[in-house]
Amino acid sequence: MSLVADDVVVTYGRKGSAPALDGVGLTLGKGSIVALVGESGSGKSTLARCLVRMREPAAGRVSLDGTDLLTLRGRRLKAFRRRVQMIYQDPYESLIPRQRVRDIVAEGLAIHGVPKGERDGRVREALMAVGLTPVESFLDRRPFELSGGQRQRVAIAGSLVLEPAYLIADEPVSMLDVSVRAGVLSLFGDLRRTRELGILLITHDLATAVHVADRIVVMHRGKIVEEGPARRVTAEPAHDYTRALLAATPDLGRP
Ligand SMILES: Nc1ncnc2c1ncn2[C@@H]1O[C@H](COP(=O)(O)OP(=O)(O)O)[C@@H](O)[C@H]1O
Ligand SMILES: [Mg+2]
């Protein structure tokens, strides 16, 4: 069971311009966290979009449990959308300001035809799972009545409520106050364990990656330059670019 990118190429704009992704391969298994790191512009979000089928690769393929995403239509595409969820960087932008938490979290349930009678219970369960307790005190709040960390938790609950198998989280803590980042990251760790989620954690920050990820994949200019177990990549980086990223990471750069 895995979500796999295989030799994926994406080029924006005119023919002949440098590809945003230049033959990228990546495997995300259930119950594991893979951190995708690299500086801004290295192609991380482009790969994320390919993995959730928001963008078609020009070459190569992306598959879920062996099925090429591009072959999915109708009901099977809808099932895919439910199984593979994207979490965005800015929870404020991804939430509708006037909606209440209960409606934000329930939205996907309506879209996917979950019977009305089941929705309330599912919403409460998801809020519990993301640590927004007591649930009663959050149900009727609106985004502006929440902290940044709480907003990101609401967004995560809105995905979890659909019982996905994979989360593609594109810089999920980089807009958050430093003081709440660790809490949200350890939530991803919990979800991996308790729900066997496969999580792609995109970040430009290696320090973020090493604490929660099993594997680290390093991207540079549309190519993967290094990958391996998180501790190995940070302790013994094999590539110059990884070393440069480490040097730019204050709490990892020096032993
Ligand atoms: N919609 C787009 N149109 C044109 N170029 C894009 C678009 N999205 C990204 N790019 C370019 O593709 C490259 C990779 O971008 P992106 O995947 O957003 O990188 P990252 O998420 O690592 O910052 C960059 O050079 C960026 O300018
Ligand atoms: Mg990005």
Side-chain angles (χ1 to χ4, degrees):
M1 299 263 277
S2 51
L3 182 61
V4 177
D6 207 359
D7 214 8
V8 165
V9 177
V10 170
T11 307
Y12 294 109
R14 279 179 296 120
K15 270 206 170 132
S17 52
L21 294 180
D22 191 3
V24 169
L26 182 137
T27 296
L28 182 62
K30 286 206 72 183
S32 74
I33 298 183
V34 174
L36 179 63
V37 303
E39 67 194 347
S40 180
S42 55
K44 306 181 298 295
S45 295
T46 300
L47 180 58
R49 288 195 285 271
C50 291
L51 290 171
V52 300
R53 224 197 101 159
M54 283 166 57
R55 174 162 284 275
E56 271 187 36
R61 68 172 215 159
V62 182
S63 56
L64 177 61
D65 300 339
T67 302
D68 189 330
L69 302 191
L70 294 182
T71 67
L72 299 174
R73 302 268 184 286
R75 272 184 46 221
R76 291 172 71 221
L77 179 55
K78 204 165 176 187
F80 168 81
R81 298 258 179 250
R82 190 169 171 166
R83 286 193 72 198
V84 182
Q85 294 278 317
M86 185 91 137
I87 307 287
Y88 293 95
Q89 179 176 49
D90 186 351
Y92 212 68
E93 248 175 30
S94 61
L95 301 178
I96 297 167
R98 280 173 316 175
Q99 267 192 333
R100 295 180 188 280
V101 166
R102 64 167 81 236
D103 299 317
I104 293 169
V105 177
E107 185 157 295
L109 294 176
I111 292 168
H112 286 277
V114 172
K116 271 207 168 115
E118 286 177 29
R119 290 182 203 164
D120 185 60
R122 299 271 291 264
V123 167
R124 286 166 189 267
E125 196 237 349
L127 288 173
M128 211 116 72
V130 299
L132 292 176
T133 54
V135 167
E136 283 301 329
S137 72
F138 287 96
L139 284 170
D140 290 312
R141 291 202 212 172
R142 296 186 168 94
F144 66 85
E145 297 168 304
L146 300 167
S147 71
Q150 289 170 341
R151 283 197 288 266
Q152 192 56 292
R153 286 172 193 266
V154 168
I156 294 167
S159 291
L160 281 187
V161 80
L162 295 169
E163 297 178 340
Y166 301 94
L167 295 183
I168 308 300
D170 193 353
E171 309 250 12
V173 301
S174 55
M175 295 288 285
L176 302 181
D177 205 271
V178 173
S179 64
V180 302
R181 288 183 187 176
V184 173
L185 288 171
S186 71
L187 170 62
F188 285 117
D190 294 345
L191 295 174
R192 172 261 304 270
R193 258 192 319 281
T194 58
R195 302 192 172 215
E196 257 202 282
L197 283 175
I199 301 172
L200 184 69
L201 177 66
I202 298 177
T203 171
H204 55 258
D205 176 13
L206 261 173
T208 294
V210 70
H211 293 302
V212 62
D214 305 298
R215 293 180 68 75
I216 293 179
V217 173
V218 183
M219 229 163 97
H220 181 49
R221 294 189 182 168
K223 288 194 161 94
I224 287 171
V225 294
E226 174 160 8
E227 65 178 296
R231 308 248 159 247
R232 204 279 295 151
V233 170
T234 49
E236 303 158 36
H239 197 278
D240 282 345
Y241 178 69
T242 312
R243 275 185 222 112
L245 278 183
L246 279 168
T249 305
D251 35 340
L252 288 175
R254 300 274 163 271

